[in-house]
Amino acid sequence: MVTTRPGEKIAGFDLVPMMHRKLELLLPAGHELAKQKSVSLKQIEQYPYLAFGEEHALAGIIADVFAKNDIHPQISSVTDDMRTLVDLVAIGEGGWLSCLSPSTTNLLVPLPCR
């Protein structure tokens, strides 16, 4: 059984973490924040943000992170398609918070979030 929520309990099952991934903000290479070594979650509010749709497994996790940190992103586009998100970031439509780290293009700069 696979879960994206740490500490989630499912009756009758022992859940064992298989991996731990940190969130990164993916930005186009020319973005002003791309020059930094890391970015704070609060900085995300100042720029257009691209989001997974509600049905995506990471949408709830990222929404929880925003809620716990009182972050209110300016959502400019929503999709469940990772390739679309990568393409939208690459053309400068916004940043995207993910732990999926697509290595399909050198047009994106992943920044660790703090």
Side-chain angles (χ1 to χ4, degrees):
M1 177 154 304
V2 176
T3 180
T4 57
R5 302 221 181 239
E8 183 175 34
K9 300 199 184 309
I10 298 173
F13 291 94
D14 292 327
L15 300 178
V16 178
M18 293 175 51
M19 71 174 90
H20 176 78
R21 302 288 305 263
K22 293 188 178 189
L23 292 174
E24 296 177 319
L25 180 64
L26 296 166
L27 297 167
H31 195 282
E32 63 183 291
L33 292 179
K35 298 175 186 127
Q36 297 181 194
K37 291 184 180 189
S38 66
V39 63
S40 73
L41 288 172
K42 202 68 175 163
Q43 287 176 286
I44 292 172
E45 290 181 318
Q46 301 169 27
Y47 300 94
Y49 178 73
L50 305 168
F52 279 124
E54 291 178 14
E55 296 298 316
H56 195 282
L58 291 176
I61 293 171
I62 294 171
D64 289 349
V65 168
F66 286 152
K68 287 177 185 173
N69 291 281
D70 195 31
I71 304 298
H72 307 281
Q74 301 174 35
I75 298 174
S76 60
S77 293
V78 176
T79 182
D80 288 327
D81 183 66
M82 187 169 145
R83 183 75 242 167
T84 300
L85 287 167
V86 169
D87 291 344
L88 288 169
V89 171
I91 63 171
E93 290 297 312
W96 169 40
L97 192 61
S98 181
C99 63
L100 301 177
S101 298
S103 58
T104 56
T105 178
N106 60 359
L107 301 175
L108 304 183
V109 177
L111 292 175
C113 293
R114 56 181 192 282

